[in-house]
Amino acid sequence: METVVSGIRSTGNLHLGNYFGAVKNFVQMQNEYNCFFFIADYHSLTTHPNPANLHASVRQVLVEYLAAGIDPEKSTIYIQSDVPEVTELYLLLNMNAYLGELQRATSFKDKVRANPNNVNAGLLTYPTLMAADILLHRATKVPVGKDQEQHLEMTRTFGNRFNTMYGTEYFPEAFAFNFGSKLVKVPGLDGKGKMGKSEGEGNAIFLADKPEVIRKKVMRALTDNGPAEPNSKKPDYIQNLFDLMKLVSTKDTIKHFDDSWKNCSIRYGDLKKQLAEDMITFLTPVREKIEDIAANETYLRQVARHGAAKARESAQKTIQDVRELIGIKRF
């Protein structure tokens, strides 16, 4: 089976955007591919998380991966820092990653503009750590969004450069992969763009949100006075609510509100109430699993240790091969 690798930064709870944009696909992939899904705690260090919160964030993502349907018997689920081989490969790849190409990375330039007082070496070499995550398991498929495609291209560059330098074809090329379905962009509740943690608490519906929290967030979503003319085009922030409805509501429900938009009889309060209840219905089984798994410390420890052992088996083989190719040998 081909190998798939994907990671998510340990920066707090997963939301509907993470679920429909990534995790739902992960659950399907694990039946047909050799999957490595990791929690990227090293990557999160570029923003200097509070030490007291770091472990709790890693734990929460692990719990929510499991609750969303990722099976530790089918996939390898591990925490990045439990596999020290990734840091060795990161170091070795950095020896052949050039300053100019790292500085030209779009995400690096964006982060420098956004946080000029936190331009650390980890941000600069973020693409090499991501490349190490992928090349460590010699993956050929990587589920990534549009914003990560340049990093994936750099991964191919670093792998091919290593192959050329040492006269080998050891590292395969990895390409973006979405399990044959169109990438899903889940809109946020602020009416501006995609759902995300960085846009503020009220923008995202988290998998662990309780019903009363979901209702409150949805009822605050941006709306207007309604259409002035029949069959008029929906503004983006209204279309966002319909797009969210497409993810969790029945076709009849969507048609009812779409028809009421077209004939100018729509009542946004009713639409939001229905959307909130449909989100609650969809998320309640997931939230209940989150609560059950979060209470089982023994199970979480077993999953983390089992995943680390499986990931290290793959990683140690790669590091052993790479050392030999470079000429690093023990006396």
Side-chain angles (χ1 to χ4, degrees), residues 57 103 209 240 247 308 311 317:
S57 294
Q103 288 177 324
D209 277 346
N240 282 356
L247 299 173
K317 171 74 168 67

Side-chain angles (χ1 to χ4, degrees), residues 31-78:
N31 296 311
E32 297 185 30
Y33 295 92
N34 177 31
C35 293
F36 290 86
F37 299 127
F38 67 95
I39 300 162
D41 53 343
Y42 280 152
H43 281 289
S44 72
L45 297 179
T46 58
T47 52
H48 310 135
N50 183 318
N53 297 337
L54 180 59
H55 180 71
S57 294
V58 170
R59 187 182 189 279
Q60 189 64 28
V61 175
L62 177 60
V63 166
E64 293 180 1
Y65 259 175
L66 295 167
I70 298 179
D71 184 343
E73 296 304 318
K74 293 179 180 177
S75 301
T76 301
I77 308 172
Y78 66 98

Side-chain angles (χ1 to χ4, degrees), residues 16 20 184 186-187 242-249 254 282:
L16 280 176
F20 285 106
V184 177
V186 179
F242 277 87
D243 288 344
L244 285 168
M245 199 166 249
K246 286 173 190 171
L247 299 173
V248 296
S249 304
I254 298 162
F282 178 81

Side-chain angles (χ1 to χ4, degrees), residues 3-19:
T3 296
V4 172
V5 168
S6 189
I8 190 164
R9 281 170 46 127
S10 51
T11 52
N13 300 68
L14 301 181
H15 52 69
L16 280 176
N18 299 131
Y19 179 78

